[in-house]
């Protein structure tokens, strides 16, 4: 299935706010995760690096967000126990808390950090009987695979 939305931009601090505005129709969780992922490209890969942001609608009312950049070697790292005085390091923890699951797909010449989320409207409509379960963290409202370095199987 082709993406519903594709944004191509240079990773800059100003570009992050543009991504948030463009993804407003998908809800605050999608906007926040996209902001964090593009910001990570700025900080860890470099400013003015070409980035592609894609959004798909998945089965079950989920949204899949993917942020691709041209450096397959710089992988995201989920930092545990970031101190309250730390100025950074919470972005992937936030993504991990919001996403149903997330991971990284590596290809020759690029990587895509992706996540699947419920939209704000979908979250309200989900009941306990509809709550997805995963083997990684059964019973968690929004489980995350956190599959760093592994390709995802598109469902």
């Amino acid at each position: 299935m082709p993406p519903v939305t594709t944004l191509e931009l240079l990773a800059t601090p100003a570009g992050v706010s543009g991504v948030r505005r463009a993804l407003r129709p998908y809800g605050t969780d999608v906007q926040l995760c996209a902001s964090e992922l593009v910001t990570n490209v700025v900080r860890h890969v470099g400013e003015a690096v070409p980035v592609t942001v894609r959004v798909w609608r998945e089965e079950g009312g989920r949204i899949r967000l993917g942020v691709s950049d041209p450096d397959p070697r710089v992988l995201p790292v989920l930092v545990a126990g970031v101190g309250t005085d730390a100025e950074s390091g919470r972005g992937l923890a936030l993504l991990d808390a919001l996403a149903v699951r997330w991971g990284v797909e590596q290809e020759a010449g690029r990587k895509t950090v992706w996540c699947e989320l419920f939209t704000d409207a979908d979250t309200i409509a989900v009941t306990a009987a509809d709550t997805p379960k995963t083997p990684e963290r059964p019973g968690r409202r929004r489980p995350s695979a956190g599959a760093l370095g592994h390709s995802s199987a598109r469902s």
Side-chain angles (χ1 to χ4, degrees):
M1 174 184 299
V4 176
T5 299
T6 300
L7 307 170
E8 294 186 359
L9 62 138
L10 297 178
T12 63
V16 173
S17 61
V19 167
R20 276 194 305 268
R21 278 191 304 279
L23 299 182
R24 186 172 289 141
Y26 298 103
T28 56
D29 288 357
V30 173
Q31 288 176 287
L32 186 55
C33 289
S35 296
E36 292 299 333
L37 293 175
V38 174
T39 298
N40 280 350
V41 174
V42 172
R43 292 185 65 127
H44 302 292
V45 179
E47 197 164 325
V49 169
V51 171
T52 303
V53 177
R54 293 180 185 91
V55 178
W56 296 264
R57 291 206 180 271
E58 295 287 314
E59 292 179 20
R62 292 180 309 218
I63 297 290
R64 183 179 178 97
L65 167 70
V67 175
S68 301
D69 70 65
D71 193 339
R73 300 165 300 159
V74 179
L75 298 176
V77 176
L78 182 60
V79 179
V82 176
T84 56
D85 294 335
E87 292 184 19
S88 64
R90 293 182 188 86
L92 285 177
L94 184 60
L95 182 132
D96 186 62
L98 293 173
V100 174
R101 61 189 189 123
W102 68 278
V104 178
E105 293 174 351
Q106 292 176 283
E107 301 174 42
R110 79 175 192 174
K111 74 167 167 304
T112 300
V113 182
W114 59 268
C115 62
E116 291 180 0
L117 305 117
F118 289 105
T119 63
D120 293 344
D122 293 330
T123 302
I124 294 167
V126 173
T127 65
D130 298 325
T131 302
K133 307 284 189 233
T134 65
E136 294 83 15
R137 297 183 189 166
R140 183 174 169 196
R141 170 64 181 90
R142 292 181 173 173
S144 170
L148 292 178
H150 296 98
S151 297
S152 88
R154 297 285 314 247
S155 51

